[in-house]
């Protein structure tokens, strides 16, 4: 049974590589600080958590 | 004020975890949309904060990625109306990465695709970024952009054609190179 061969498309490959290049970057500290803010908000509304 | 229920706390925690997992994709989509690293990260963070603030309107179990991409996209269009600079090209993105198939004679620089992307109309660029770069389905892209699947397909086809023409026709950049 022959298998379909997908032609290499350099534009598609480049688009995917663009995405991968950014997605594999270290997440900047600004994002971590934002997550800390969110964590603090979650912790603040937990029953029994001192405000 | 009454304490939130355990279900609400669990939902908040799940929402937060989904946000964390989506950060790379949000940054990538934002970077492709505005082509300016710092502004793209501001845009992604803004979308995260807006998403968090609006989490009560998100229905758990539905498509979280589409919901967040929609927020980011809306924020992008709101921002570019106020700031023309976001449509400019960021040279930081321009790493000279060569994409080639082993058996092919032509190759293309990723940076040139990124540069050409910024010259496309935003409506074509966003579809190329969603479907071509982020691997979003036609259905999901249709949900994010708020148009019919047929429109997504035609914008994708026009965008790919325009992108190829921009790359192929760009003078003096050696965009396609013969591979030895």
């Amino acid at each position: 049974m022959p298998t379909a061969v997908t032609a290499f498309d350099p534009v598609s490959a480049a688009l995917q590589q663009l995405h991968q290049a950014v997605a594999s970057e270290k997440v900047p500290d600004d994002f971590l600080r934002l997550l800390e803010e969110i964590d603090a908000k979650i912790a603040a509304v937990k029953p029994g958590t001192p405000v | 004020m009454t304490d939130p229920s355990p279900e609400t706390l669990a939902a908040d925690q799940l929402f937060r975890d989904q946000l964390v997992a989506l950060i790379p994709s949000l940054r990538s989509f934002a970077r492709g949309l505005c082509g300016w690293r710092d502004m793209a990260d501001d845009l992604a963070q803004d979308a995260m904060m807006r998403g968090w603030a609006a989490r009560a309107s998100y229905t758990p179990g539905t498509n979280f990625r589409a919901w967040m991409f929609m927020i980011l996209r809306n924020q992008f269009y709101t921002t570019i109306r106020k700031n023309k600079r976001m449509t400019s090209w960021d040279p930081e993105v321009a790493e000279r990465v060569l994409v080639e198939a082993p058996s092919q004679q032509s190759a293309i620089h990723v940076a040139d695709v990124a540069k050409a992307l910024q010259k496309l109309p935003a409506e074509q660029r966003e579809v190329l970024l969603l479907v071509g770069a982020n691997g979003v389905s036609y259905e999901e892209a249709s949900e994010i952009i708020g148009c019919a699947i047929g429109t997504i397909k035609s914008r994708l086809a026009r965008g790919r054609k325009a992108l190829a023409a921009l790359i192929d026709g760009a003078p003096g950049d050696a965009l396609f190179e013969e591979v030895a």
Side-chain angles (χ1 to χ4, degrees):
Chain A
M1 185 83 178
T3 54
V5 176
T6 306
F8 176 78
D9 174 6
V11 172
S12 291
L15 285 170
Q16 288 162 15
Q17 196 156 336
L18 271 178
H19 166 70
Q20 280 305 321
V22 179
S24 60
E25 286 176 3
K26 181 179 177 291
V27 174
D29 290 345
D30 287 353
F31 285 82
L32 304 180
R33 280 193 286 275
L34 190 154
L35 290 173
E36 284 169 5
E37 281 180 34
I38 289 175
D39 287 340
K41 286 174 183 171
I42 292 175
V45 297
K46 278 186 179 169
T49 305
V51 179
Chain B
M1 195 173 100
T2 58
D3 286 332
S5 67
E7 289 78 15
T8 301
L9 284 171
D12 281 356
Q13 189 62 51
L14 177 61
F15 191 98
R16 182 259 189 218
D17 293 345
Q18 287 178 300
L19 264 186
V20 172
L22 203 58
I23 288 174
S25 294
L26 289 171
R27 293 186 70 227
S28 163
F29 185 38
R31 185 90 59 93
L33 279 176
C34 68
W36 187 277
R37 181 182 177 140
D38 290 345
M39 286 187 178
D41 279 348
D42 287 348
L43 180 65
Q45 288 174 59
D46 197 13
M48 288 172 66
M49 286 309 289
R50 287 173 186 274
W52 174 258
R55 65 193 183 283
S57 66
Y58 169 71
T59 307
T62 59
N63 191 332
F64 183 75
R65 177 170 74 166
W67 191 78
M68 280 303 303
F69 274 15
M70 200 170 0
I71 291 173
L72 190 152
R73 177 184 176 273
N74 289 342
Q75 191 56 26
F76 168 69
Y77 284 111
T78 301
T79 307
I80 60 168
R81 278 194 289 271
K82 300 173 187 168
N83 189 347
K84 300 283 185 199
R85 196 166 59 132
M86 286 193 77
T87 58
S88 66
W89 161 245
D90 176 9
E92 268 189 82
V93 185
E95 295 173 66
R96 306 289 299 181
V97 181
L98 200 63
V99 174
E100 61 188 79
S103 60
Q104 300 245 333
Q105 293 303 304
S106 65
I108 186 172
H109 284 291
V110 170
D112 295 320
V113 174
K115 192 173 183 176
L117 262 177
Q118 297 305 316
K119 294 178 181 170
L120 293 182
E123 66 175 25
Q124 291 174 13
R125 186 164 74 247
E126 65 183 2
V127 175
L128 284 167
L129 290 167
L130 288 169
V131 178
N134 273 280
V136 163
S137 69
Y138 294 139
E139 291 78 7
E140 202 177 346
S142 153
E143 186 184 343
I144 293 164
I145 293 173
C147 64
I149 290 174
T151 307
I152 295 293
K153 288 180 178 175
S154 64
R155 284 181 187 174
L156 185 65
R158 286 202 306 273
R160 289 182 58 83
K161 195 173 173 183
L163 193 61
L166 275 168
I167 294 167
D168 213 12
D173 275 353
L175 296 166
F176 284 93
E177 297 179 348
E178 289 298 312
V179 178

